[in-house]
Amino acid sequence: SVTQVIIRHSMVSGILIAQLIFYCVPANYLTNEAMAISDAIYSSNWYSHYFSTLTKPILLMIQNSQREITITAGGIIIMNARTVLNVLKVAWSACTVIKGIK
C-alpha cells in the first residue's frame, strides 16, 4: 500500500517534470536564437557600408531582437530552465522534510 503510493507519486512527479522540460527546452532555444539574430546583424559590418536608408531599420532590428522572449504557462509562470530547476529544488526539499518527519 505504501509502496503503491510512493510509486504513484513518483510517476506523477516524473510526468510533471517531463512536461516542464518539454516546454522549457524550446523556450530557451527561442531566447537564444533571438539573441543570435542581434549578434549576427551587429557582426555583419553593417556600419561600414553607407546605406542611409537602411541605417534606421537595421538599428531597430538590433533593438527589437534584444528584447527578451518569454513563454509563460497560462500567463502565470515563465517557462525556462530556471523554472525546472526551482521546481526540482522545491520537490527535493519537500521530500527531505517528509522523510525527516517520519
Side-chain angles (χ1 to χ4, degrees), residues 38-54:
S38 156
D39 294 339
I41 293 171
Y42 185 76
S43 299
S44 68
N45 293 330
W46 60 272
Y47 46 84
S48 65
H49 307 290
Y50 185 72
F51 296 110
S52 61
T53 58
L54 294 179

Side-chain angles (χ1 to χ4, degrees), residues 38-72:
S38 156
D39 294 339
I41 293 171
Y42 185 76
S43 299
S44 68
N45 293 330
W46 60 272
Y47 46 84
S48 65
H49 307 290
Y50 185 72
F51 296 110
S52 61
T53 58
L54 294 179
T55 303
K56 287 182 183 178
I58 289 175
L59 288 173
L60 287 173
M61 286 171 48
I62 292 172
Q63 181 182 5
N64 286 337
S65 65
Q66 287 179 339
R67 286 190 199 147
E68 185 178 1
I69 294 176
T70 56
I71 296 177
T72 58

Side-chain angles (χ1 to χ4, degrees), residues 5-8 15-16 22 37 44 47 55 59-60 62 67 77 79 87 91:
V5 171
I6 292 173
I7 291 172
R8 185 178 319 140
I15 290 170
L16 289 175
F22 179 73
I37 291 171
S44 68
Y47 46 84
T55 303
L59 288 173
L60 287 173
I62 292 172
R67 286 190 199 147
I77 300 172
M79 299 300 292
V87 168

